[in-house]
Amino acid sequence: GEQVEQRPPHLSVREGDSAFITCTYTDPNSYYFFWYKQEPGASLQLLMKVFSSTEINEGQGFTVLLNKKDKQLSLNLTAAHPGDSAAYFCAVRNTGGADRLTFGKGTQLIIQP
Amino acid sequence: DTTVKQNPRYKLARVGKPVNLICSQTMNHDTMYWYQKKPNQAPKLLLFYYDKILNREADTFEKFQSSRPNNSFCSLYIGSAGLEYSAMYLCASSREWGDYAEQFFGPGTRLTVL
């Protein structure tokens, strides 16, 4: 089955710097990708979802890049601020199975003032 | 209201005792899911309901049961809790079955088995 490796597990950056998180998946049939953010004590909130046909998606203060060739999904938070401190999870769905998401183990991001 | 609610938020259980966790959503979502999340591990899908049809993952088939009495509610039932069941249990729902369906998550129930 699908395996998703997320790195790094922990990341600390200064306010205003960038934070970069990557997920590498194994199933070449994976087509749909999701990034979730979880603040302490709160639910997982969807940051962005991308199709295989999308390579770069930009959100508010972040960019998601999908590299199908290397089977890699990345999240880049630009100019990080304290509100970005949270756990981030990538999730992958492939078209071969039923309605299942395979998650990465998560990245705990801390923004230092 | 796009929230998924879970009750209780914290649950303490004794080894060998049953545990029942509750999830609700008012978004009229077709599909509801239960995940188990342990520290430093990825959320792991346990089972999901598409409408009234229950799908349980093969490796946890005998450990968890569920019911969905109506569209809004879904429970997760552990018949006899073991220490290994201590974890965060996340409920989620999605509007439709399909590849691009977004899952909305609840805040989780932290289960501690002693």
Side-chain angles (χ1 to χ4, degrees):
Chain A
E2 173 76 273
Q3 302 286 328
V4 178
E5 182 178 4
Q6 183 172 344
R7 290 187 182 276
H10 302 278
L11 181 60
S12 179
V13 302
R14 291 196 179 277
E15 187 173 357
D17 288 349
S18 295
F20 193 72
I21 303 169
T22 64
C23 287
T24 304
Y25 58 95
T26 57
D27 189 339
N29 294 318
S30 292
Y31 263 66
Y32 301 93
F33 307 87
F34 305 81
W35 279 104
Y36 283 89
K37 175 184 180 181
Q38 185 179 30
E39 296 180 5
S43 313
L44 275 79
Q45 298 290 324
L46 183 70
L47 266 185
M48 183 166 284
K49 51 187 178 183
V50 294
F51 286 118
S52 64
S53 60
T54 306
E55 289 193 343
I56 298 176
N57 261 10
E58 292 188 0
Q60 197 164 5
F62 60 90
T63 302
V64 170
L65 176 64
L66 176 62
N67 182 334
K68 288 170 51 186
K69 175 177 171 291
D70 295 334
K71 295 195 285 295
Q72 193 169 78
L73 177 72
S74 62
L75 172 68
N76 185 31
L77 291 109
T78 54
H81 57 86
D84 291 331
S85 292
Y88 291 83
F89 295 88
C90 63
V92 175
R93 175 183 283 133
N94 67 59
T95 57
D99 198 23
R100 293 177 175 83
L101 289 179
T102 302
F103 279 85
K105 291 185 178 182
T107 296
Q108 189 64 51
L109 174 64
I110 295 173
I111 310 301
Q112 296 180 340
Chain B
D1 184 6
T2 59
T3 57
V4 176
K5 294 180 171 58
Q6 291 189 241
N7 286 297
R9 293 293 305 276
Y10 300 90
K11 175 72 178 176
L12 194 60
R14 295 290 183 187
V15 170
K17 297 298 185 183
V19 175
N20 197 46
L21 308 180
I22 303 295
C23 177
S24 65
Q25 51 85 18
T26 55
M27 297 174 278
N28 201 31
H29 282 177
D30 292 322
T31 310
M32 295 185 74
Y33 314 77
W34 281 101
Y35 292 84
Q36 181 189 66
K37 171 80 173 68
K38 293 186 176 183
N40 302 315
Q41 293 185 22
K44 175 182 167 56
L45 180 67
L46 300 176
L47 54 88
F48 65 94
Y49 263 100
Y50 173 64
D51 194 16
K52 294 180 174 59
I53 301 170
L54 174 61
N55 297 269
R56 288 186 285 177
E57 293 298 278
D59 57 346
T60 55
F61 189 87
E62 294 180 348
K63 294 185 174 182
F64 299 93
Q65 185 54 271
S66 182
S67 67
R68 191 176 186 187
N70 56 54
N71 176 269
S72 299
F73 287 87
C74 188
S75 67
L76 182 70
Y77 181 75
I78 300 166
S80 176
L83 296 176
E84 71 277 15
Y85 287 87
S86 291
M88 179 73 83
Y89 289 87
L90 303 174
C91 176
S93 68
S94 65
R95 178 173 56 85
E96 60 197 17
W97 176 283
D99 296 320
Y100 208 51
E102 174 186 347
Q103 293 187 18
F104 292 80
F105 282 82
T109 294
R110 184 172 296 281
L111 172 65
T112 303
V113 181
L114 301 174

